[in-house]
Amino acid sequence: MLEAINLVGVRGERRLFNRLSFQVRAGECLLVQGENGSGKTTLLRMLAGLTASAEGAIRWKGRLLDEQLGEYQRDMLYCGHGLGLKEDLSTMENLLISAALAGISTTPALVSDALKEVGLAGRESLSVRGLSQGQKRRAGLARLLLQQSSLWILDEPLTALDTAGCQWLVNVIDRHLLDGGLVVLTSHQHLSLAGTSHSIRMGA
Ligand SMILES: Nc1ncnc2c1ncn2[C@@H]1O[C@H](COP(=O)(O)OP(=O)(O)OP(=O)(O)O)[C@@H](O)[C@H]1O
């Protein structure tokens, strides 16, 4: 279970959220909603351990994040706005490197399979710079298939995806939830998940 307890988000002079608490259990998706600038990315970065909360705590499997950062980094996959891709490297190189950094063993054959599933078959050796925005998004999301993390934190994952890409992602998320995974995501687009989801609204 992921548990946020009395989180406080401060950016400059602005208090974006105050004493925010919620829980996400195995098989559940938390949808973080709100207008532009309401603090969704700030919250997701906190949950990913990239930004500190001014107060409060985050627990994963009952223990504070700070006590288990290495373990948490292996259990959690964060896909932020930047997608975590190096433009000068090929999609294959990017995915092999990000798996290695996450401590996951993978092979070029598995990466090829993942790229095929996201619709990038035959583009393994193309540098990311040569991909369209939607293809870059697909390459970044291929990490979901390779890294076997139980907690996915996804910031606007539908951005730039076409209709088929959005439907693919919804199916992948539903499959993950059915397998007992957890998802926290933001999206300005409507997501029609079959699995259990609940939402919080920032700035309300
Ligand atoms: N590094 C930073 N330094 C100072 N202020 C920041 C920083 N990052 C974000 N902010 C401010 O914090 C507020 C919340 O930003 P955040 O990115 O969390 O919003 P958001 O809800 O994700 O927005 P969007 O829907 O546009 O993605 C904004 O007013 C933004 O200007």
Side-chain angles (χ1 to χ4, degrees):
M1 181 168 77
L2 177 71
E3 200 177 3
I5 306 149
N6 294 329
L7 298 182
V8 175
V10 178
R11 285 295 199 187
E13 300 289 295
R14 275 187 70 202
R15 191 166 274 240
L16 299 168
F17 47 91
N18 196 27
R19 300 179 68 81
L20 180 63
S21 298
F22 54 81
Q23 296 175 342
V24 188
R25 294 183 170 77
E28 286 182 0
C29 174
L30 175 70
L31 185 57
V32 180
Q33 296 176 314
E35 293 169 3
N36 292 140
S38 59
K40 302 180 299 297
T41 294
T42 304
L43 173 63
L44 263 58
R45 287 180 57 82
M46 259 178 209
L47 298 177
L50 299 170
T51 298
S53 174
E55 291 170 36
I58 299 169
R59 290 181 186 272
W60 171 243
K61 296 180 179 172
R63 286 168 56 214
L64 290 172
L65 283 203
D66 297 347
E67 294 170 357
Q68 50 165 340
L69 272 182
E71 196 182 317
Y72 187 62
Q73 295 306 329
R74 280 187 295 279
D75 284 349
M76 181 271 306
L77 175 55
Y78 173 67
C79 287
H81 284 299
L83 298 173
L85 298 168
K86 299 274 178 235
E87 296 266 327
D88 292 331
L89 299 182
S90 69
T91 51
M92 172 67 74
E93 289 165 334
N94 265 289
L95 292 171
L96 287 172
I97 289 170
S98 69
L101 288 174
I104 309 292
S105 78
T106 190
T107 64
L110 288 173
V111 173
S112 281
D113 287 347
L115 287 169
K116 189 174 172 191
E117 181 169 338
V118 299
L120 294 177
R123 292 187 166 81
E124 291 85 352
S125 45
L126 203 65
S127 74
V128 165
R129 190 178 303 286
L131 299 177
S132 72
Q133 288 306 312
Q135 288 171 332
K136 286 181 189 176
R137 175 69 54 181
R138 285 166 180 257
L141 290 170
R143 291 188 295 146
L144 300 177
L145 305 173
L146 292 165
Q147 296 196 8
Q148 294 150 15
S149 312
S150 49
L151 170 61
W152 294 353
I153 299 178
L154 310 176
D155 199 348
E156 294 289 343
L158 299 178
T159 301
L161 290 183
D162 58 21
T163 309
C166 291
Q167 191 53 55
W168 169 80
L169 182 61
V170 164
N171 292 342
V172 168
I173 290 174
D174 271 331
R175 208 162 66 205
H176 185 60
L177 297 175
L178 266 179
D179 287 345
L182 300 79
V183 180
V184 179
L185 68 82
T186 65
S187 178
H188 289 291
Q189 291 166 257
H190 177 69
L191 255 102
S192 187
L193 293 172
T196 311
S197 66
H198 52 107
S199 61
I200 53 173
R201 177 158 284 277
M202 309 298 289

